[in-house]
Amino acid sequence: MSEPSHSIHGPHQGQPLLAAGEPLDRTRAAMVMVHGRGASAESILDLAIELNQSGWAYLAPQAAGNTWYPHSFLAPLASNEPGLSSGLAALTNVLAHLAQAGIPQERTMLLGFSQGACLALNMTREARSSPL
């Protein structure tokens, strides 16, 4: 996946984006799966086998060093930079990639575990205040 030119440069840019399920040109819906601290894109993508939804594409971005940001989600935001902003930009890029592939937001789901859930929740909050 190529990143939009407006993306920031941080620890998570240039990391792999793993995929499972249907190819984007044949899918009817997509799920972006965001792993937790210490886990990997590969490990959360294993859930796609359990979910087993035909017609779905599953995408899992990888965090640099297997963590999206260094401290607790309760820590001051500034202490989690640049990881936090870089992680949010990585998710924004995945969502933009899905939109460019013709998959509308209403057919896109975010799933996160632990730290990945916090990042995904932050994305949904930002999505309400500004469009992609």
Side-chain angles (χ1 to χ4, degrees):
M1 176 182 103
S2 63
E3 295 177 10
S5 59
H6 66 274
S7 69
I8 68 163
H9 297 286
H12 308 303
Q13 281 57 60
Q15 294 295 311
L17 176 65
L18 303 184
E22 291 291 326
L24 292 182
D25 62 348
R26 293 193 326 230
T27 191
R28 60 175 200 225
M31 181 181 292
V32 179
M33 306 173 84
V34 191
H35 69 80
R37 183 190 310 264
S40 67
E42 185 176 356
S43 67
I44 199 159
L45 206 55
D46 286 342
L47 288 175
I49 296 165
E50 299 299 323
L51 296 171
N52 194 26
Q53 294 295 307
S54 66
W56 279 68
Y58 300 94
L59 301 174
Q62 176 63 47
N66 296 52
T67 188
W68 294 104
Y69 45 88
H71 305 291
S72 164
F73 73 97
L74 297 172
L77 292 177
S79 72
N80 279 318
E81 293 298 350
L84 181 59
S85 291
S86 178
L88 291 170
L91 292 184
T92 298
N93 289 341
V94 174
L95 294 172
H97 179 64
L98 290 170
Q100 289 170 355
I103 302 165
Q105 283 184 341
E106 60 270 12
R107 293 189 165 266
T108 302
M109 180 182 293
L110 288 173
L111 176 140
F113 178 76
S114 189
Q115 194 181 61
C118 292
L119 201 63
L121 182 60
N122 216 337
M123 285 299 298
T124 59
R125 185 178 68 199
E126 287 189 11
R128 286 188 297 234
S129 46
S130 66
L132 282 176

